[in-house]
Amino acid sequence: MTSVLYILYNADASVMGKINYGYRKLIAAKGKPACAACDITHGGLRLDETKGWKAIKEQINQEGIEIKQLHRDELNDELKSQAKGARVGLEVLVIGVKNSNNDWIKSLITVSETFSFHKSPESFITSKILAVRKKNPLLAEYRTPVRAKVLNRDVAVISSYKHVAQILEAPAISLRASAESAYEDLMAPFFPPPNLLLSDLPEHTAMKEHWQTRMAGLSGALRSVIVDITRKHFQETLHEESVDLYECMKSLSWKLLLRIFIAGADGCKVTSAELLKYENLQEDLLRGQFSLFPVSVTTSLWQSPRAKGLAARKELQALFKTHVERSMTGCPFAMRDADEKADVANHLLLFTSSLAAKALASSLTALLLNIYVFPYHQPNGEKSSLAREIVCLQDESQRDALIRSIMLETERLSPPVVGIMRRTKEDVILESLQGKGTPTLVPKDWDLWMYFVGAARDPAVFGKTADSFVPRRYYDLAPGPSETKEGFAFGTGPKTCLGRDMMRGVASLVVKSCLGIPTDGSNSNRGVRLETNADDIPTGVQAYLGWQQDVEPMVWAKDMKQLPTQRPKKAVTVKFTSSPL
């Protein structure tokens, strides 16, 4: 006999039961689902189960566990007794587990986690919001916020540049928009606060200043290490007939992040086995965080991805605490004060997360495709590549300026994360767009979903080329504030990502290493050539890169994976050679 996982619905199986559930679903109060199990398995008012639930159910079945999904009028006396004894209410998700001997391993319990974010936001945006705008050209022109209801949460989807900047930069709104409450369920269990990601203003300001002091000079001290790691990584790829570019960049990103934040410039005696353990645990944590079945269940035979993720977090916290306690010479963030050590250990969990590694991999994948594969034409019309254009520039400052411009344009069009959330602590007013219409009121306790991909392609800011990759868009602009706005890959305002300048420095060194450009007086190498057929890159991926315009949203969604970070769904295979450009 196999183990059994019970999931109980707060609805009856009869026709009248379904009608009753539909009515209760429509009038349900915010944050109080009529049937949480229905939202997980059927996505709300649907007769068929979602693809996501079918996938996780198959995974659980493969572990030798049977799943029984029961309505209220299908419960036998034993289950009714269990429910009554545990005092559970079926308005929340109710689960229970029996082992192969028919003994209860986990009696029926309610699960308090909310599920507002586990309904894929990118699917919601592409299939609903963009469809609405297509039918309403005026909305598309002025990018008016769209109000929606997602799993009983009131949501305002923001896709105008002006509004995203206003929410993140203007004190009158940024102080009223909370990251901590918005990510209470998705992030906080895996990256326990206080930390830079989840702290709100004004507390975040002092924390960030403290970390800026800690990290000052870190990337500079590691420049030669970053270059060495990158060169060795690409030399290893020369033996491969073809590689998945994103997976190749993810492997490099792990090497770089773990060296920067754990081993430091001198390696501080951290073994490769220890670094691999950090990586594997962080991958378990991320799978749990974005699991299609966002419930913690542990039995002797099976552990849900969320439970594995939470267990990985605890083990990582212990490892980071031990690592920081060593305070070895050469290690970054070596601290003497106990409180400082605890803060460093807590942030190392964040800095070396799988989410960070995948974000860097996403950025590097898009950047290298633009540099090597983008169909670039010289002023005389001759077909070339940006890689050749960069290498042919004799002046170092011109090379740096062009690399920086390409990098900023890549960030604008292809940010690793599609957007971020905030939850309003008070009513907020968003200014009218283009001087037309009335201001938008977003009431207290609403979720603001800021869609970076759309906002950074706002024609009101970037004109007719808003959707196009323009390599020299930022070429003649000095770093810092300028008339030509940057994208939101690292956010903006007082909560701009602490690692923005460091990661841009890393990306620039990776590009120079690939192209064989000397750095800080180091000898140049031959570099590498990246070869692939641009025509084989799916249309949705080319739209994501800004190579093609007027691509239907659902084509983009079909070709791109957007959670937890953006990357092509189908591998973009390339071949690296040592041939000169």
Side-chain angles (χ1 to χ4, degrees):
M1 182 185 296
T2 60
S3 297
V4 181
L5 171 66
Y6 290 93
I7 294 180
L8 309 187
Y9 294 110
N10 185 31
D12 292 336
S14 64
V15 174
M16 288 304 298
K18 288 181 172 60
I19 293 173
N20 176 267
Y21 163 66
Y23 172 74
R24 288 187 293 109
K25 175 73 174 175
L26 293 174
I27 66 171
K30 288 191 301 183
K32 295 183 178 179
C35 172
C38 301
D39 288 342
I40 290 294
T41 63
H42 289 70
L45 294 173
R46 294 173 42 158
L47 294 178
D48 58 329
E49 295 181 346
T50 65
K51 290 182 179 179
W53 170 246
K54 289 178 181 177
I56 197 67
K57 186 163 66 172
E58 181 179 354
Q59 177 186 342
I60 295 173
N61 289 154
Q62 289 174 353
E63 297 289 341
I65 296 179
E66 179 186 358
I67 296 179
K68 289 189 176 181
Q69 300 163 229
L70 302 174
H71 296 80
R72 290 182 305 196
D73 53 353
E74 296 172 327
L75 304 184
N76 59 27
D77 291 340
E78 180 187 15
L79 287 170
K80 288 178 181 178
S81 176
Q82 278 283 330
K84 183 177 180 181
R87 297 180 179 179
V88 299
L90 300 187
E91 69 277 1
V92 294
L93 181 63
V94 181
I95 61 172
V97 184
K98 273 187 173 183
N99 65 15
S100 58
N101 294 322
N102 207 33
D103 298 323
W104 286 98
I105 298 174
K106 185 182 286 290
S107 297
L108 294 179
I109 60 169
T110 60
V111 181
S112 61
E113 292 103 326
T114 62
F115 306 103
S116 61
F117 198 82
H118 293 276
K119 184 77 172 174
S120 175
E122 80 276 7
S123 295
F124 169 76
I125 291 170
T126 53
S127 64
K128 299 293 191 297
I129 301 304
L130 296 182
V132 168
R133 288 207 166 96
K134 185 177 179 182
K135 294 179 181 178
N136 297 271
L138 191 63
L139 287 181
E141 181 181 356
Y142 299 121
R143 293 182 179 249
T144 305
V146 174
R147 301 185 181 197
K149 196 91 166 178
V150 184
L151 290 181
N152 287 305
R153 285 296 310 170
D154 288 310
V155 174
V157 180
I158 311 298
S159 63
S160 74
Y161 194 100
K162 182 177 181 178
H163 281 165
V164 170
Q166 186 184 359
I167 292 167
L168 297 179
E169 295 174 357
I173 296 182
S174 60
L175 288 168
R176 299 178 184 177
S178 171
E180 183 177 1
S181 58
Y183 289 106
E184 183 178 3
D185 301 306
L186 178 70
M187 302 292 285
F190 298 92
F191 302 101
N195 60 48
L196 285 163
L197 180 67
L198 299 180
S199 62
D200 290 328
L201 299 172
E203 292 81 5
H204 177 272
T205 303
M207 188 184 299
K208 185 175 182 179
E209 289 175 353
H210 199 47
W211 270 98
Q212 284 173 329
T213 301
R214 285 174 176 167
M215 296 179 69
L218 181 61
S219 58
L222 287 162
R223 285 178 65 87
S224 61
V225 174
I226 293 168
V227 170
D228 185 56
I229 289 174
T230 303
R231 287 179 177 173
K232 288 181 179 178
H233 180 79
F234 282 108
Q235 285 299 314
E236 292 169 0
T237 66
L238 297 179
H239 305 292
E240 303 288 337
E241 185 62 33
S242 65
V243 297
D244 178 337
L245 181 59
Y246 171 78
E247 290 298 327
C248 180
M249 292 302 97
K250 188 172 73 169
S251 175
L252 174 60
S253 297
W254 274 119
K255 294 174 185 177
L256 293 171
L257 291 180
L258 292 175
R259 185 60 186 268
I260 291 170
F261 292 109
I262 302 296
D266 299 327
C268 73
K269 298 179 182 179
V270 179
T271 68
S272 57
E274 288 177 312
L275 295 178
L276 181 60
K277 186 170 186 179
Y278 286 124
E279 180 181 339
N280 290 336
L281 287 171
Q282 287 284 19
E283 292 282 9
D284 284 343
L285 186 154
L286 187 71
R287 280 190 288 269
Q289 184 183 357
F290 285 89
S291 170
L292 296 169
F293 184 59
V295 180
S296 297
V297 179
T298 300
T299 74
S300 59
L301 297 175
W302 182 74
Q303 192 176 31
S304 70
R306 185 178 178 90
K308 287 181 181 178
L310 293 172
R313 184 213 72 202
K314 292 180 181 178
E315 187 171 353
L316 281 165
Q317 286 178 304
L319 289 172
F320 287 133
K321 182 179 179 181
T322 300
H323 176 74
V324 174
E325 288 290 340
R326 295 175 185 172
S327 296
M328 293 178 289
T329 303
C331 284
F333 318 127
M335 302 291 170
R336 294 183 179 181
D337 181 82
D339 289 339
E340 292 236 351
K341 288 180 178 180
D343 184 46
V344 168
N346 199 33
H347 277 83
L348 286 179
L349 182 68
L350 188 62
F351 297 159
T352 65
S353 66
S354 183
L355 189 61
K358 291 186 177 189
L360 179 56
S362 171
S363 295
L364 293 176
T365 299
L367 184 58
L368 292 187
L369 285 174
N370 284 333
I371 286 177
Y372 281 99
V373 188
F374 173 66
Y376 175 72
H377 291 83
Q378 295 179 341
N380 62 8
E382 183 181 348
K383 187 176 180 180
S384 183
S385 70
L386 288 169
R388 183 180 296 276
E389 182 79 359
I390 294 168
V391 170
C392 289
L393 290 172
Q394 298 300 312
D395 185 273
E396 182 180 356
S397 63
Q398 291 182 336
R399 285 201 304 262
D400 288 347
L402 183 53
I403 291 173
R404 175 181 174 274
S405 180
I406 295 169
M407 187 161 50
L408 293 181
E409 181 72 340
T410 302
E411 289 176 10
R412 181 184 75 84
L413 291 164
S414 316
V417 178
V418 293
I420 60 174
M421 297 192 302
R422 294 289 186 267
R423 185 163 295 167
T424 55
K425 296 187 284 188
E426 303 175 34
D427 291 357
V428 299
I429 303 292
L430 300 178
E431 298 173 359
S432 61
L433 297 172
Q434 304 294 310
K436 297 179 182 291
T438 58
T440 299
L441 168 67
V442 182
K444 176 183 177 181
D445 199 38
W446 272 53
D447 287 344
L448 295 163
W449 284 13
M450 285 165 278
Y451 186 41
F452 288 169
V453 177
R457 296 176 180 231
D458 190 341
V461 175
F462 298 101
K464 295 180 179 180
T465 60
D467 276 330
S468 301
F469 176 69
V470 181
R472 292 179 177 266
R473 188 184 299 273
Y474 300 94
Y475 181 73
D476 296 321
L477 302 173
S482 64
E483 290 301 315
T484 301
K485 303 295 185 182
E486 295 181 8
F488 297 107
F490 294 95
T492 187
K495 285 204 66 173
T496 297
C497 176
L498 173 73
R500 180 191 64 184
D501 293 341
M502 176 185 286
M503 289 302 104
R504 283 178 175 174
V506 168
S508 178
L509 288 174
V510 169
V511 169
K512 289 180 178 181
S513 298
C514 288
L515 297 178
I517 297 173
T519 59
D520 292 342
S522 63
N523 294 325
S524 64
N525 64 339
R526 294 186 64 188
V528 295
R529 178 197 290 267
L530 183 155
E531 298 176 349
T532 192
N533 187 349
D535 294 336
D536 291 339
I537 296 177
T539 302
V541 177
Q542 294 197 38
Y544 148 79
L545 294 168
W547 299 0
Q548 286 198 33
Q549 292 72 49
D550 301 320
V551 175
E552 288 292 326
M554 296 314 294
V555 174
W556 188 332
K558 176 179 69 69
D559 292 338
M560 290 295 301
K561 178 176 169 59
Q562 294 182 299
L563 277 180
T565 58
Q566 295 203 90
R567 66 175 177 86
K569 280 186 179 178
K570 181 182 177 182
V572 175
T573 57
V574 302
K575 180 174 176 58
F576 288 102
T577 69
S578 57
S579 305
L581 294 171

